[in-house]
Each structure stands twice: as C-alpha cells, then as structure tokens.
Amino acid sequence: MKKIISVLSILLLAAGMVFAQSNDLQVLTIVKYNKSESITVKQLKTRCDTYEKQIGQKLTLEQKKQVLSALVDEKLVLQAAAKAGISIPDSTVDQYFMQAMSQSVGAVVTEKQLNDLLKAQNTSLDAELLKQTGMNVADYKTYLKNQLIARQYVIQQKQDEIQAAASPSDSEIRGFYEGNKASFVWPDYVKLFAVGVRKDSNPDAAKNKINELRNKYVDKKLSKEQIIAQSTAEGYTASEGILPKTEAGAAQIGLTYQSILYIYEMEKGYVSEITETDEAFIFLALTDKYAAKILSLSDIVQPESTTTVYEYIRQNLASSKAEAYIQQAAQVVADELRKPEYVEEKKTGDALDKLLNWGD
C-alpha cells in the first residue's frame, strides 16, 4: 500500500508540474502591429520577477496587470521601430551595459575585469544579474537593447515636441542657481604634468630613461608637448591634467592626499624628484594651480573649461526636462499605436485574474 501511495504521489506531483508548465505557456495577449507576437504567462512572470527584485516585494494582481499592459506597449513600440528601420548596434548596447555596471561597482571597468573580479569572489556576472534582475547577461543586454530602440523611436516621433519642452527659461536657470548656490563652488585645483616609465623586465633601463626625461625637461631641452608626443613611440607614459586637491583627486594618479597637499604649496613650475613604485618610476611637474572659489553664473564651471555655470545649468535642466518629456511621450506613442486591430487580448476578466494569481 505504501508503494502505491508513493507512486500516486509522484504522479500527482508530475501532473501538477505539467499543469504549471502549461499555465506558463498560456497566451495572454497577441500584439500584431508589424507581425504577430504573443505575450505568455511565462514572459510576464519573468518581467514581474525583475521588478519584484528591484523593489524588494511581491507585486499585487493590479500591478501585474500594469506590467502586462507595459509589455504590450513595449512590443507595439518595438514593432513600429522595426517598421521604421530603427536599430541599435551591439557595440552601443555593450557601452551602455558597462556604464551601468561601472556605476554599480563605483569604478570604470570592462566586462572582463568585472567577470575576473566576481570570479575571485566565487561568483559570476551571470549569477549576480540573475540574483538582482532575474536576467542573465545575454537576456539583460537584449532587454537593454529593446529599451534603447524604443527610446530612439519615441524621440524620432516626438522630436519637435521634446525640443520645445526641453528649453528652460532664463528665470528657471537663475532660480535653480539661487536655490543651489552653495553647490556651485570649485575646490583648490592642481594642474600636473606626469611622466612614468614602467620597469617591466629592466628596472635599470627604466630608471635611466626617467632620469633622462626629467633632466631634459628641467633643462628645457624637451618641452612637455614634445615629451607627450614622443611617449607612445618610446614606450613611456606622459600626460597633463587638472585634479582637485582632494583625496579622490590624488587617488586618480596614485598619489597620497599628503602628496597633493605638498605639491599645491609649491610654486608653479615645481618638478618633483623621481618616485619609485612597484611598477614604474615617475616624476610630476606643477604646471598651474587654482584657488577655491564660489562660482557666479558667468564663471566657468572648472579651470580651463569653456562652459559657464549658466550654460551648465541650462544643459542639465534641458536634459532633465527632455528626459521627463520622453517618458510622457513614450506613453503617448504607445497609446497612439494601441488600436483594437493591433492588440488581441486572449485572456480577460476572471480567466486573466486566475492566471495572474501565481504564487498566491
């Protein structure tokens, strides 16, 4: 008897799994603007799972219906974009993907570097994305690509309206400045010329080379422009840049905060002694410095920039206003496309509610 009960239990379990799988394959809606595409329970579950991971809670029945409606809108816009010949190259998708990943880890990284970093922590990018979004890397990139295509189509359709809505007035710009005046400051800055020669397999040769470059620069036999121009061909690094006198600024070129404080106190034209690191020999030259100041609307936003605070605020307000309008315009475009002949609802009312009540 126990064996019979055990077998029956297995059969009932298997039947339940088949029923669950068949539910997942149920078609909820068919979108057919440019071609026929079905939205299944499984597709909706996947998207809902992504949102639930982002907000940290289960979606209600009404919210699931909203996600279904958004999926219909998305497919309508994507089909319209395809008909209009809009596409996004994979290289652009990869660029946006790595920008998002770099922001999440707080440093600019490549996909390989990120994978290596996660591998050292006994995980992977696929595993982490699945945990956070319910999508692996390939699925996430497909999702991102679709979002970029839809966005491009909306911008194309509503370009004039977006441009008009994204033009801030003079009073808006001045009002923003007055409300955020305390944030419009720049710290002390240093402008540094940095030269480095890697040790590689010959530290003595590297030391001789850095000494030669430093001496010629000090004796004015080579200008910084000449040293920079020759750097690639001669196998060393040379660059000039402006850094804030902060810990973050110092870290950008491997300096300690105390080092950048010391350099700032020097006179313009100061050339450091040669410093040895684990990988290279380096010297720095202070080519300019700028004192901290509170910025007015007519000031440039940072040393040697051509953008004034006024223009900086105008650009940022225009960008945020355009983004807000694009979000509104996306819904308008979707609503214009959502006609009965393009959307066939296969499940409605109680039948739809029953399919959407998974996990309840």
Side-chain angles (χ1 to χ4, degrees):
M1 179 63 73
K2 287 184 178 178
K3 286 187 177 179
I4 294 174
I5 292 173
S6 178
V7 170
L8 285 174
S9 297
I10 292 171
L11 290 173
L12 288 170
L13 176 62
M17 290 174 64
V18 170
F19 179 74
Q21 288 172 354
S22 66
N23 271 352
D24 280 355
L25 297 177
Q26 290 277 336
V27 175
L28 300 173
T29 309
I30 298 175
V31 179
K32 44 189 177 180
Y33 177 82
N34 195 34
K35 60 180 180 179
S36 182
E37 279 189 286
S38 298
I39 298 175
T40 64
V41 173
K42 184 177 180 180
Q43 290 172 322
L44 180 61
K45 278 185 179 180
T46 300
R47 185 61 63 87
C48 287
D49 185 49
T50 296
Y51 293 146
E52 287 175 348
K53 281 181 167 63
Q54 290 174 353
I55 65 176
Q57 64 184 46
K58 294 292 185 182
L59 297 181
T60 64
L61 176 62
E62 188 57 39
Q63 287 172 326
K64 290 174 184 176
K65 289 180 179 179
Q66 291 171 6
V67 175
L68 175 59
S69 180
L71 272 173
V72 172
D73 290 345
E74 182 180 306
K75 287 193 178 294
L76 282 169
V77 174
L78 286 172
Q79 286 190 19
K83 190 173 182 179
I86 293 174
S87 63
I88 299 290
D90 289 342
S91 58
T92 300
V93 177
D94 289 340
Q95 181 182 345
Y96 274 90
F97 176 75
M98 287 319 304
Q99 284 176 356
M101 294 301 102
S102 294
Q103 287 176 0
S104 69
V105 299
V108 178
V109 291
T110 64
E111 191 166 338
K112 182 181 183 306
Q113 288 172 331
L114 188 53
N115 270 310
D116 290 343
L117 178 65
L118 292 170
K119 186 177 180 181
Q121 299 173 14
N122 297 317
T123 184
S124 67
L125 189 50
D126 266 336
E128 291 304 308
L129 271 178
L130 278 168
K131 190 188 302 180
Q132 295 176 29
T133 69
M135 295 180 278
N136 60 24
V137 172
D139 290 339
Y140 188 85
K141 285 185 177 181
T142 299
Y143 169 76
L144 181 58
K145 185 171 189 173
N146 286 340
Q147 298 304 305
L148 292 171
I149 290 171
R151 177 186 174 85
Q152 188 61 38
Y153 178 75
V154 171
I155 291 173
Q156 182 191 81
Q157 295 299 302
K158 303 295 181 180
Q159 188 172 6
D160 292 341
E161 294 95 322
I162 292 169
Q163 188 171 354
S167 299
S169 66
D170 178 72
S171 61
E172 285 179 304
I173 295 170
R174 293 181 182 278
F176 184 90
Y177 172 76
E178 290 300 326
N180 298 273
K181 188 180 293 186
S183 65
F184 288 102
V185 297
W186 75 29
D188 295 326
Y189 280 98
V190 291
K191 186 176 183 181
L192 296 178
F193 173 48
V195 182
V197 181
R198 290 183 60 85
K199 295 178 182 178
D200 293 327
S201 60
N202 197 337
D204 290 337
K207 189 172 184 179
N208 289 336
K209 183 63 178 178
I210 197 73
N211 272 306
E212 175 192 350
L213 290 168
R214 183 183 182 281
N215 290 337
K216 287 184 176 180
Y217 178 72
V218 171
D219 295 339
K220 303 189 185 307
K221 292 179 180 178
L222 281 177
S223 67
K224 66 174 182 281
E225 291 79 15
Q226 289 172 316
I227 292 175
I228 291 171
Q230 296 171 10
S231 61
T232 302
E234 297 189 11
Y236 60 87
T237 60
S239 61
E240 186 178 35
I242 298 172
L243 298 171
K245 192 187 71 176
T246 61
E247 288 190 21
Q252 287 182 45
I253 56 171
L255 290 178
T256 64
Y257 182 50
Q258 288 70 27
S259 296
I260 205 168
L261 288 176
Y262 175 79
I263 291 172
Y264 186 81
E265 295 305 316
M266 296 295 104
E267 294 295 325
K268 179 180 173 180
Y270 162 78
V271 181
S272 75
E273 297 299 323
I274 293 169
T275 301
E276 181 179 1
T277 70
D278 291 339
E279 298 179 347
F281 293 99
I282 301 166
F283 79 83
L284 302 169
L286 178 63
T287 55
D288 214 336
K289 58 182 180 178
Y290 305 87
K293 63 183 292 188
I294 297 174
L295 303 176
S296 68
L297 279 168
S298 59
D299 283 325
I300 54 175
V301 292
Q302 66 181 38
E304 301 189 10
S305 167
T306 57
T307 304
T308 64
V309 171
Y310 186 93
E311 179 59 19
Y312 175 82
I313 295 173
R314 190 198 68 76
Q315 290 173 1
N316 279 274
L317 283 179
S319 178
S320 61
K321 285 164 73 76
E323 189 59 40
Y325 191 83
I326 288 170
Q327 297 300 318
Q328 297 173 19
Q331 190 58 59
V332 171
V333 169
D335 289 344
E336 291 171 351
L337 294 169
R338 193 187 271 257
K339 297 178 180 178
E341 60 266 35
Y342 300 143
V343 179
E344 182 182 350
E345 296 179 336
K346 304 297 289 185
K347 301 293 180 183
T348 58
D350 291 341
L352 176 63
D353 291 353
K354 185 176 180 181
L355 286 171
L356 266 54
N357 275 323
W358 63 76
D360 295 341

